[in-house]
Amino acid sequence: MRPSDTIRRIGEKNGSKRHLLVDGRGVPLSIVVTGANRHDVTQLELVLDEIVISRPEDVEQHLCADKGYSGEPAYQAIIDRNYIPHVKQRGEEIQEKKDNPSYKNRRWVVEVSHSWFNRFRKLLVRYEKLNDTYLALLHMAAAIIAFRKTGVIY
């Protein structure tokens, strides 16, 4: 078999993935970059530990996550860091919205934050070879996003 005939196994992915922890408005609080072949739940503890601001002690904090974090180790990691876990399946939020029209969906908050990162053209396609360089660009974009969310600047 020639080197040009190599077959890539299923599940092997090139590239990188950014894992985000955001507040209720979508402002990034923690960013972790890993290889694209890593599953999200394996990075949960690292994302929760890499938060860049100190958390208030006197306020109950809820952590909304999707179905990928529904296992017992993920629940334990969330509870160990003093969050109240809310891990919902995909259809649960839709049904809750139908049952209670005043219910506010929360799944979109992280997705919109990823969309804000993608508006920075330098980050849309990763050309940086070094992880530290890419992470520095992500932190700069997160600072700009946080600044824009503080209020109207125009």
Side-chain angles (χ1 to χ4, degrees):
M1 194 151 121
R2 297 187 320 243
S4 61
D5 294 337
T6 58
I7 299 171
R8 195 165 83 179
R9 292 185 299 237
I10 295 174
E12 287 186 16
K13 291 188 175 188
N14 293 326
S16 59
K17 184 189 292 188
R18 60 179 177 246
H19 306 269
L20 294 177
L21 175 68
V22 299
D23 70 357
R25 297 175 300 153
V27 175
L29 302 175
S30 173
I31 304 171
V32 174
V33 177
T34 61
N37 58 349
R38 300 275 183 96
H39 195 273
D40 293 343
V41 74
T42 62
Q43 305 303 314
L44 177 63
E45 292 180 10
L46 184 59
V47 171
L48 294 177
D49 291 340
E50 290 290 319
I51 191 165
V52 294
I53 60 170
S54 59
R55 295 173 45 205
E57 301 288 331
D58 57 340
V59 179
E60 239 181 25
Q61 294 193 340
H62 299 261
L63 186 81
C64 300
D66 63 1
K67 178 179 148 181
Y69 301 98
S70 61
E72 186 59 38
Y75 270 109
Q76 196 57 46
I78 293 169
I79 292 169
D80 288 347
R81 285 156 182 84
N82 298 324
Y83 286 106
I84 299 170
H86 299 280
V87 181
K88 299 211 175 203
Q89 305 294 328
R90 197 173 232 351
E92 286 182 26
E93 274 196 347
I94 296 169
Q95 188 60 41
E96 200 160 338
K97 183 74 173 168
K98 287 179 183 175
D99 295 343
N100 183 7
S102 64
Y103 177 76
K104 183 179 176 185
N105 288 336
R106 300 188 191 246
R107 293 174 65 102
W108 65 271
V109 178
V110 175
E111 301 303 325
V112 78
S113 186
H114 278 291
S115 173
W116 293 337
F117 276 102
N118 289 339
R119 289 184 185 175
F120 295 91
R121 290 186 348 185
K122 181 78 173 166
L123 300 176
L124 188 58
V125 177
R126 180 179 172 174
Y127 293 108
E128 287 70 32
K129 292 185 179 184
L130 298 177
N131 195 35
D132 290 339
T133 307
Y134 184 62
L135 190 59
L137 289 171
L138 286 173
H139 280 286
M140 187 168 68
I144 293 170
I145 291 169
F147 180 71
R148 288 179 180 167
K149 293 299 282 183
T150 57
V152 178
I153 59 170
Y154 297 108

